Amino acid sequence: MVTNEDAARLITAIKTSSTYDFTDYSDKSFCRRIEKILLDNNMDLNQLIHKIGKDKDFLEQMVKDITVNTTELFRNPEMWQTLRYHILPKFKKNRSIFIWHAGCSSGQEIYSMLILLNELGMFDQAKVFATDINTDMLEAAKAGQYKYRFNLGYLDNFDKVIKENPFNFEDKVDVPYEKYFDIDKVKDTIQMKPFLREKAVFRKHDLVKDGNVFYSKFDLIFCRNVIIYFNNKLQSRVIDMFNSSLNRDGYLILGSHESILGASANNFERSKGFYKKKQM
Amino acid sequence: MNDYKAIMIGGSAGSFQVVSRIIAALPANYPLPILMCLHRLKHIRSGFVEALSIKSKLPIIEPHDKEPLKAGRIYLAPANYHMYIELGNRFSLSTEDVVNHSRPSIDLSFFSASYNFKKKLVGIILSGANKDGALGLKSVTDNGGLTIVQDPKECQVPTMTTASMNATKVDYVFSTKQIIDFLLKLA
Ligand SMILES: C[S@@+](CC[C@H](N)C(=O)[O-])C[C@H]1O[C@@H](n2cnc3c(N)ncnc32)[C@H](O)[C@@H]1O
């Protein structure tokens, strides 16, 4: 088992050889990831520390392996329904709407948003930025191609959010999947359409050390299922950075079982899992 | 008697009936926290809490990440997250890969709870179609906690209970009725 002392030694070694700093990641989850990396590489901790000191590519790969990248199209459909019926309509009349997906992983969250925006006739006014620490994930997000059979749940989620109206069961629209993605059952792929793939601006970004790098403020910031891997201190720092990057009346959207702890919570009004920036 | 600090229950979607019977039997002032890690059917992710709450006199909560654990509540691992108990009695959640095809994974919940509560944990495995939970229950035994499995004769799908009994020497094999009586006696 990897102890907290082991983790601390490794974190120091990573800091020495790179710009990454995992000091304020949540210890238990960090230790679990390292256990897995040791097992997969058949190494002990000393060997791992030795290797990252002299092999930069290996270190980069290890950082990618530390991150947890699981995601889905329309993950947590209730959130997307709230967004659709309660939040996005407020922005419809604005000339532009700035959106940041922080910790976008392989992009499913971005495509969910773009599809929804298109359905609401808000696609053109949206400016979408997407970031992650893991460049493999950014490449996957740009490619917009996902496994089909493994991800049949995506289609159920799509139906719930795009075809059905939870507030009026008679209100059903038939939106064909091909409007947004092509399914190839032989190749076992779901491929997002080019007009969606060309929309977002992608950029490598580390929430530990980078602030808002976009010279613009945002109306919606998504950061879902990212801060669960951070300790309270880093969570608060990141949340405060988001707070100062939000426009008046902007919203921060966290994962369905994440919340803002401590004093940072005072800057937001919470409703239905959405954090609205408070006017101060 | 050992003063237990928490009860953790693992089972699959098929154990819903048993779980509701157990929950319904607990009084509103039940003093121990109950932690439940149940596999859910893919398409029924929501509505689970609501369905269980109808029967329960205790609040049923899907905890948030880093939420402190409190007595007199029933906690249910949220769909699609692994649920851990950390030192200092806080929950932590993660979306790490599925284990034994499952997220939440019963093994992972049991590992962290048994590490945290050691001999003060009661671990219970109910009916289930998957061997997830067996190694978890073993970790309860290894940390000195008490283990119970639902009588396989009573289970529609006994894979989980049988695997648990093969993985570790369990303290009791109980019917649902006996599980309820036992939990009431702990109060
Ligand atoms: C579980 S995924 C969440 C994906 C998506 N937001 C969702 O909820 O479906 C977490 C992502 O956060 C990224 N991440 C972890 N640490 C980060 C950091 N310090 N800066 C930026 N992104 C980070 C990981 O690379 C991973 O892709």
Side-chain angles (χ1 to χ4, degrees), chain A residues 28 70 72 225 229-230 257, chain B residues 65-66 80-81 86 95:
Chain A
K28 273 286 147 45
T70 42
E72 276 174 44
N225 305 302
Y229 304 104
F230 298 169
H257 285 80
Chain B
D65 183 53
K66 299 185 175 57
N80 239 333
Y81 288 92
E86 306 283 344
T95 64

Side-chain angles (χ1 to χ4, degrees), chain A residues 81-131:
Chain A
Q81 289 165 338
T82 309
L83 195 62
R84 173 170 196 165
Y85 293 100
H86 298 293
I87 308 287
L88 285 175
K90 301 183 203 224
F91 295 95
K92 175 127 189 169
K93 287 213 192 68
N94 297 11
R95 211 160 43 112
S96 55
I97 163 169
F98 282 83
I99 303 168
W100 179 8
H101 294 270
C104 65
S105 189
S106 40
Q108 287 84 332
E109 183 183 276
I110 310 164
Y111 293 110
S112 310
M113 187 62 191
L114 293 175
I115 292 170
L116 189 53
L117 287 166
N118 197 61
E119 284 302 305
L120 298 181
M122 297 172 69
F123 191 82
D124 291 333
Q125 78 210 74
K127 308 274 180 275
V128 182
F129 299 85
T131 60

